[in-house]
Amino acid sequence: MSETDRRLKDHLNTNQAKRERMCLEILSVQDDYTDIRPRLPKGGPDGGRDLQGYYKENMLFGAVGFVNDATDLDQHRKQIRAKFEEDLENAIRPKKDGTTRPEAFAFFTNVGLTPGIISDLQKLAYTSGMDFCEIFDRERMRIVLDSNRGYAIRFRYLDIPLSDAEQKDFFGAWADEINSAIGSGLKGIDQTTKRIQFLLESQMLLNSLATIVKLDTSLWDACGGEFFFQTMLSLRVHSQGFIGVTYGGGTKEITESFDELNSRRKGLSRNSQYGFGFSWLLPETPMYHRYVDRAEKLEHPKNAKEDERLEYIRTSFSSGVLEVDKSHLNFQALSTPFLDRFQPTCKMIELDGCMILFECTAEIAEHIDQIIIVGGGYELLNLSKADFQTVTGSFDRLKVPIEGKQEEDSHDWVTLRPSEMSSCFSIDLMSKTPRRYDW
């Protein structure tokens, strides 16, 4: 007699809950059985349903008939036959909860049954209207528990450890599935953790917002260094009066060519550029009063319309070296506060659903390979060349600062719009978790 056979007889004496859980797991590793779940493993009227689930597409009820200190004597076999008949009758009896009548029946017992007894019990089930009946007596359960499908179940409920040979068999059969399950689980945990971290950080005010424009060639080869680019971002719902921001930059002066720069072989380029940012505020709102009322002098875009003079205000500016040998441009808005916050802003999550357009000179538009928007350490938008198209723009749409030398007739102006049927780009923070740069 094997150790598994011996423990099936008496190891779970009086522990009906563990008996039912073990039988549920045995059934779950069999082919064609799905959605197996317990009814009332701790006891109580279960209507002949210790277990329920499906055999192929048929509703299945399962019953567990164990006896303490099981033997294969007639006394226990008669006891199990009576238990089978009782559970079968209860299973086919109409249920008050409206549960569908089962078409399949499974029965578990730790009593050893002869093939003749098993056949008689199955015939009884078929004459009662069952389409399928399977009986797991002690020997049938032992076969499952002593196979690589059942080693873990046997260890969990009968406290029988795996031998060296069984461990090799088990891991040889299930190594790929175990690795896949562990990988899937860890990946799911990692994704959930990242989502939680993002949702927490998305409630913080934005201290930075940047647009990175990557070209397929150097700035000099693309346009001789002469460019203008702006990002216009409008919130879907204003944040205390802050509607959005337009920011970017352009060429300030070109005093030497790329060849002249190379010939000097030292020092910084003499070419210069500027950066700018204009915030759009609703009048008579908390954000407007905070940033406009205290300003001694407001600066607006030089081509701003009269009805915009109380809305767009200059909130950032910069001046620096223009490196015409580089193949990327970087424009920033907003700033980290120091004692006070000098620019209006919003929470990162409030960028969800915002509307974004890009305006630039036609010369540089032809060479844009990628546009990335970064905010709060997250990559909020990443567009490849295939994601946008160029359409005729207008100087009136630009927010050129006073120091900007660009005029209506100084360049051909274009607008970058989505390649798909959409009027503008948008940031999705609800259905997607953006990539954090330190992940």
Side-chain angles (χ1 to χ4, degrees):
M1 179 184 297
S2 72
E3 184 64 15
T4 305
D5 189 84
R6 189 188 68 77
R7 295 203 182 193
L8 280 171
K9 289 183 175 184
D10 55 25
H11 191 72
L12 297 178
N13 278 357
T14 71
N15 196 333
Q16 182 64 15
K18 276 197 170 183
R19 290 169 175 173
E20 292 185 11
R21 292 191 188 106
M22 182 182 71
C23 294
L24 181 148
E25 293 191 28
I26 289 174
L27 198 61
S28 297
V29 298
Q30 304 302 299
D31 294 334
D32 299 324
Y33 290 92
T34 58
D35 196 23
I36 307 300
R37 56 187 185 274
R39 281 285 293 168
L40 298 170
K42 295 184 179 181
D46 55 26
R49 285 177 289 172
D50 293 326
L51 315 170
Q52 70 180 57
Y54 289 90
Y55 172 74
K56 295 183 178 178
E57 296 180 355
N58 298 325
M59 170 70 77
L60 169 101
F61 285 177
V64 178
F66 276 42
V67 298
N68 295 333
D69 301 316
T71 69
D72 299 340
L73 300 177
D74 287 343
Q75 176 188 355
H76 281 167
R77 285 175 174 172
K78 288 180 181 179
Q79 183 179 340
I80 290 306
R81 179 186 288 272
K83 172 66 172 170
F84 179 90
E85 293 175 356
E86 178 185 357
D87 286 339
L88 177 63
E89 183 180 351
N90 287 333
I92 62 179
R93 183 181 298 126
K95 302 294 182 289
K96 294 181 180 180
D97 62 4
T99 304
T100 305
R101 185 182 188 279
E103 300 167 310
F105 187 69
F107 185 79
F108 293 83
T109 180
N110 63 339
V111 174
L113 305 178
T114 66
I117 295 175
I118 293 175
S119 179
D120 289 342
L121 295 179
Q122 288 176 322
K123 288 178 182 178
L124 179 61
Y126 296 144
T127 57
S128 300
M130 291 293 173
D131 293 334
F132 178 79
C133 177
E134 188 157 24
I135 297 174
F136 292 81
D137 70 339
R138 189 175 69 249
E139 177 62 13
R140 178 71 187 283
M141 286 192 291
R142 184 201 66 77
I143 292 173
V144 176
L145 295 172
D146 285 343
S147 70
N148 55 43
R149 288 188 176 188
Y151 291 146
I153 304 171
R154 187 188 70 185
F155 176 74
R156 186 157 45 245
Y157 294 100
L158 301 183
D159 298 320
I160 301 176
L162 280 69
S163 66
D164 290 344
E166 288 173 339
Q167 289 183 44
K168 292 178 182 178
D169 181 32
F170 176 79
F171 287 107
W174 297 99
D176 291 342
E177 286 78 1
I178 291 171
N179 288 333
S180 177
I182 292 173
S184 298
L186 292 176
K187 183 178 180 180
I189 293 172
D190 183 56
Q191 290 175 339
T192 301
T193 302
K194 288 180 178 178
R195 183 62 179 172
I196 292 172
Q197 180 179 350
F198 166 71
L199 290 176
L200 289 173
E201 294 180 340
S202 70
Q203 300 301 315
M204 301 173 64
L205 291 176
L206 273 173
N207 292 330
S208 63
L209 190 66
T211 297
I212 302 168
V213 181
K214 296 184 178 181
L215 309 177
D216 59 15
T217 187
S218 70
L219 185 62
W220 183 262
D221 289 339
C223 58
E226 291 285 356
F227 78 93
F228 179 89
F229 187 99
Q230 75 173 29
T231 300
M232 180 182 292
L233 186 152
S234 300
L235 302 184
R236 184 172 56 179
V237 179
H238 75 84
S239 178
Q240 299 186 47
F242 176 65
I243 293 180
V245 61
T246 299
Y247 63 98
T251 304
K252 194 172 183 180
E253 288 182 313
I254 297 290
T255 61
E256 63 180 345
S257 68
F258 183 51
D259 291 337
E260 291 171 335
L261 173 62
N262 282 336
S263 66
R264 288 196 296 111
R265 296 185 179 180
K266 63 179 181 178
L268 295 175
S269 168
R270 298 192 180 101
N271 301 319
S272 61
Q273 64 177 334
Y274 65 89
F276 67 92
F278 289 95
S279 294
W280 189 7
L281 305 179
L282 285 176
E284 307 304 323
T285 59
M287 198 73 74
Y288 178 87
H289 288 301
R290 178 177 180 180
Y291 290 98
V292 176
D293 287 357
R294 69 182 185 182
E296 296 181 1
K297 180 180 179 182
L298 298 180
E299 182 185 327
H300 307 279
K302 65 181 182 180
N303 60 331
K305 299 177 182 178
E306 284 296 325
D307 59 358
E308 291 182 328
R309 291 190 180 278
L310 294 179
E311 296 179 347
Y312 282 101
I313 63 169
R314 181 75 172 265
T315 51
S316 66
F317 61 90
S318 65
S319 181
V321 171
L322 176 63
E323 299 176 283
V324 295
D325 57 327
K326 302 298 183 182
S327 60
H328 65 273
L329 298 166
N330 190 323
F331 310 104
Q332 297 189 23
L334 312 184
S335 65
T336 302
F338 178 74
L339 299 181
D340 193 7
R341 187 177 292 277
F342 296 99
Q343 294 187 45
T345 187
C346 63
K347 296 178 181 178
M348 189 193 309
I349 195 65
E350 291 176 314
L351 296 182
D352 178 63
C354 66
M355 295 170 287
I356 300 172
L357 282 177
F358 304 103
E359 312 277 350
C360 62
T361 50
E363 298 91 338
I364 197 174
E366 297 176 3
H367 295 278
I368 296 177
D369 197 51
Q370 188 178 26
I371 302 175
I372 301 172
I373 293 183
V374 180
Y378 286 87
E379 186 179 272
L380 303 177
L381 189 66
N382 190 324
L383 303 173
S384 66
K385 197 175 188 71
D387 294 325
F388 55 82
Q389 60 176 321
T390 59
V391 298
T392 302
S394 170
F395 184 73
D396 292 338
R397 299 174 62 90
L398 306 183
K399 297 294 175 278
V400 181
I402 293 175
E403 70 269 25
K405 64 178 182 178
Q406 289 77 20
E407 299 291 346
E408 183 171 4
D409 58 356
S410 63
H411 296 276
D412 290 329
W413 303 103
V414 299
T415 302
L416 302 183
R417 293 187 182 274
S419 297
E420 300 177 351
M421 299 301 293
S422 180
S423 60
C424 59
F425 301 98
S426 185
I427 294 175
D428 180 5
L429 301 180
M430 299 308 293
S431 63
K432 299 178 182 178
T433 301
R435 180 172 71 94
R436 201 174 194 272
Y437 278 117
D438 59 355
W439 284 346

